[in-house]
Amino acid sequence: MSKPDQYNTQMSSKEGKDSKQKFFTTYTYGCQMNQHDSERLAGQLKSIGYEYTEELTEASFILINTCCVRESAEKKIYGKIGELKNLKINNPSLIIAIAGCMAQKDREKLFKKAPHIDIIIGTHNVHQLVDLVKEVEDSKKHVLAVWDQAEQLAPDVPTIRRGTVSAWVPIMYGCNNFCTYCIVPYVRGRERSRPLQDIVQEIHQLGLEGFKEITLLGQNVNSYGKDTEEYGDFADLLQAVDKVETIERVRYMTSHPRDINDKVIETILNSKKICDHFHLPVQSGSDTILKLMNRGYTTDYYRELVKKIRKAIPHASLTTDIIVGFPGETEELFNETLAFIKEIGFDAAYTFLYSKRSGTPAATMSEQVPLATKKERLQKLMDAQNEISLAIHQRLVGQTLAVIVEGASPRDENRLTGRTTTNKIVLWDKQGTEKIGQLVNIKINTAQTWILKGQLVD
Ligand code: 5AD
Ligand code: SF4
């Protein structure tokens, strides 16, 4: 069974001896925006007296925050919802809520498939949870809150954070791009930017609370400010955030290669705190496929962009997302992608089997690629990328890298873990002098595909 989310709350279920204490737990699937929505949902539950528990059977409120970007996620989530049915039979007062992209897409259909669900919360309705809980407690009936679109920016709500060192801060919601494979614009609505001052203020406050690293979130962060005249653009926002004294590092997710411009690259180059890591999802190394995907750039454009970044910030890392088996992808076109990743030399690539999402243009394109072929291609791509990632990591052996201590390694409590400005995960044997959130120097002595290992140096 998958594990529930962990929060940075002081009180554990063991301490909550009060027999009237109500507990909640959450499970989150999908992207960082969804993870952050769960923090806002959990914060609202805490504000009305619920405490977090890891024990499913102890919870009187279970939230599943869902993703529908690929069919595989949906299947997993339906399995999870099914598992909760017996809990509900044994405890009829248990409240089960489904939030996120699947809730937005499937709405009341979810009640039909799983009548043991109590609340369905759309992506534009996250801030309403407190009212929805009251409604279900009073009426004991199904409660559906799914707006088609956000009329305005959602108000701030109490939030509890999952980490202690690193925190997520949304800067914009929605996406206007309509890549032909992607469901996101249909379930997250049009682009809406948060006011620059609100973002800066929130980051300043998080710094005061002890957070060292901030990740700015948006489906397409480079579109920041385009929907209004008031806040400047993404580079202006980065400049403002770079000046926040209470924090040490700033990351951002996700960039669209078409929209990242010279001003952004220059801002990062001249900044003190913006990390030297570019995540630029290329999706395919074939111009034919890029066109069918409606990505709005060619491989040559992407090559030039990478050249520009590497000239400006030579040690920056570069990661990407790639979809294999998009409709019309022949063996020859797939080989173009394979050649492209070798040519660029990405530090890492997140690779996905194309998944047909009904309602998107690609779902009805002819020449869908058979699953077995997709799987074969994915394996080839992963093998090639793993070799590249390992070679890049091997070049880091012997170097000393600055890492912010995030905590114990999930697998070994005698080891600590943290990340470099280039977003490499580093593990080392705990010396006991390190403090969570501290910037330390680690001399790298072992390279693996996804991680680096080393030792603490003074
Ligand atoms: N099938 C497979 N992968 C997808 N992505 C988005 N939509 C789909 C889909 N229908 C991938 C893209 C995106 C990442 C977050 O998920 O690579 O960058
Ligand atoms: Fe989906 Fe494309 Fe928008 Fe990213 S930019 S969320 S892939 S439509």
Side-chain angles (χ1 to χ4, degrees):
M1 199 194 268
S2 54
K3 283 176 106 182
D5 305 329
Q6 303 282 318
Y7 293 93
N8 161 20
T9 57
Q10 295 306 314
M11 191 165 161
S12 80
S13 55
K14 307 282 175 300
E15 294 159 39
K17 289 272 161 35
D18 181 353
S19 63
K20 288 204 203 85
Q21 178 64 57
K22 292 186 288 187
F23 291 100
F24 76 93
T25 199
T26 71
Y27 291 81
T28 308
Y29 298 83
C31 65
Q32 277 101 337
M33 190 62 93
N34 232 28
Q35 308 285 340
H36 179 61
D37 280 347
S38 290
E39 295 180 328
R40 295 170 64 218
L41 290 157
Q44 291 173 76
L45 290 172
K46 200 162 157 58
S47 77
I48 50 170
Y50 283 87
E51 284 297 335
Y52 167 73
T53 179
E54 282 178 43
E55 307 290 335
L56 198 57
T57 48
E58 191 177 44
S60 51
F61 191 106
I62 301 174
L63 173 99
I64 305 198
N65 197 0
T66 63
C67 169
C68 64
V69 83
R70 282 172 289 275
E71 197 188 354
S72 52
E74 280 194 323
K75 279 195 179 144
K76 223 189 281 171
I77 294 163
Y78 272 120
K80 186 83 215 168
I81 295 173
E83 281 172 26
L84 302 182
K85 197 172 165 185
N86 275 336
L87 283 176
K88 180 85 174 181
I89 292 170
N90 293 335
N91 173 14
S93 64
L94 172 68
I95 301 175
I96 298 176
I98 309 296
C101 294
M102 235 168 93
Q104 183 73 26
K105 178 167 76 74
D106 291 345
R107 305 174 181 214
E108 55 270 35
K109 264 197 272 172
L110 285 170
F111 284 138
K112 293 212 181 83
K113 281 195 182 171
H116 57 288
I117 296 171
D118 297 285
I119 308 178
I120 293 174
I121 314 161
T123 57
H124 308 303
N125 305 74
V126 168
H127 60 285
Q128 296 175 314
L129 185 61
V130 169
D131 291 341
L132 302 175
V133 175
K134 286 210 181 90
E135 202 177 323
V136 87
E137 280 174 349
D138 292 347
S139 74
K140 312 270 183 266
K141 290 201 179 112
H142 286 163
V143 173
L144 177 83
V146 181
W147 287 343
D148 281 329
Q149 55 193 28
E151 276 133 39
Q152 57 207 36
L153 279 177
D156 286 348
V157 290
T159 302
I160 53 174
R161 304 275 168 178
R162 289 180 64 166
T164 51
V165 175
S166 183
W168 292 302
V169 174
I171 64 166
M172 60 175 302
Y173 305 96
C175 178
N176 292 355
N177 282 318
F178 291 96
C179 301
T180 55
Y181 50 81
C182 187
I183 193 87
V184 169
Y186 305 89
V187 291
R188 290 268 172 188
R190 298 293 67 73
E191 291 173 356
R192 286 135 9 239
S193 303
R194 277 182 77 193
L196 190 141
Q197 274 319 317
D198 289 8
I199 297 167
V200 169
Q201 178 54 37
E202 183 178 347
I203 295 173
H204 177 79
Q205 183 56 35
L206 285 165
L208 292 179
E209 287 167 26
F211 290 94
K212 305 289 179 207
E213 188 179 276
I214 297 299
T215 304
L216 308 176
L217 293 182
Q219 257 75 37
N220 181 11
V221 291
N222 300 105
S223 284
Y224 178 78
K226 284 188 185 163
D227 53 315
T228 159
E229 306 264 284
E230 285 171 62
Y231 319 134
D233 60 15
F234 183 54
D236 297 325
L237 174 69
L238 286 179
Q239 283 168 22
V241 171
D242 190 49
K243 294 198 188 94
V244 179
E245 277 169 9
T246 54
I247 48 143
E248 287 184 29
R249 278 182 180 174
V250 180
R251 302 183 187 278
Y252 55 90
M253 282 287 256
T254 291
S255 287
H256 194 301
R258 188 198 54 214
D259 297 327
I260 187 161
N261 56 27
D262 293 357
K263 189 174 164 195
V264 170
I265 299 171
E266 215 163 285
T267 300
I268 296 172
L269 173 65
N270 296 324
S271 74
K272 290 199 291 284
K273 304 186 177 181
I274 321 287
C275 288
D276 302 325
H277 168 218
F278 290 79
H279 181 67
L280 292 169
V282 69
Q283 311 297 2
S284 169
S286 147
D287 286 326
T288 313
I289 298 296
L290 286 176
K291 198 153 195 206
L292 288 170
M293 287 176 162
N294 189 31
R295 288 292 288 173
Y297 54 82
T298 61
T299 49
D300 271 346
Y301 166 89
Y302 194 96
R303 283 186 183 93
E304 284 308 309
L305 176 62
V306 171
K307 243 188 235 162
K308 221 187 282 180
I309 291 170
R310 286 184 168 156
K311 190 161 171 235
I313 313 171
H315 64 276
S317 62
L318 180 65
T319 57
T320 201
D321 293 348
I322 294 175
I323 298 175
V324 300
F326 185 83
E329 187 190 70
T330 59
E331 204 59 30
E332 198 186 336
L333 297 181
F334 168 70
N335 284 334
E336 289 181 15
T337 296
L338 207 51
F340 190 74
I341 64 148
K342 291 179 186 167
E343 177 193 332
I344 298 288
F346 292 104
D347 289 73
Y350 302 89
T351 51
F352 308 103
L353 295 176
Y354 166 70
S355 172
K356 207 182 193 177
R357 304 287 64 206
S358 79
T360 63
T364 50
M365 285 180 186
S366 54
E367 299 178 67
Q368 298 282 331
V369 178
L371 182 63
T373 311
K374 285 196 244 187
K375 285 187 172 166
E376 229 172 74
R377 290 181 189 167
L378 185 76
Q379 194 56 52
K380 268 193 202 160
L381 192 69
M382 286 186 344
D383 290 347
Q385 181 55 47
N386 287 347
E387 225 176 88
I388 299 164
S389 298
L390 185 60
I392 292 175
H393 282 180
Q394 273 162 346
R395 292 206 290 271
L396 297 173
V397 171
Q399 291 191 22
T400 298
L401 304 177
V403 167
I404 293 185
V405 184
E406 287 183 17
S409 146
R411 295 218 188 121
D412 179 354
E413 60 179 34
N414 295 317
R415 275 201 172 144
L416 291 173
T417 176
R419 277 175 301 159
T420 64
T421 173
T422 53
N423 208 32
K424 308 279 180 200
I425 296 169
V426 179
L427 287 170
W428 68 97
D429 289 336
K430 181 157 115 186
Q431 299 302 308
T433 52
E434 309 94 327
K435 292 196 182 67
I436 306 286
Q438 186 190 359
L439 196 66
V440 296
N441 289 320
I442 305 294
K443 186 166 184 197
I444 305 304
N445 52 34
T446 313
Q448 294 179 3
T449 312
W450 288 95
I451 57 168
L452 298 166
K453 290 181 181 163
Q455 67 197 50
L456 182 74
V457 292
D458 286 339

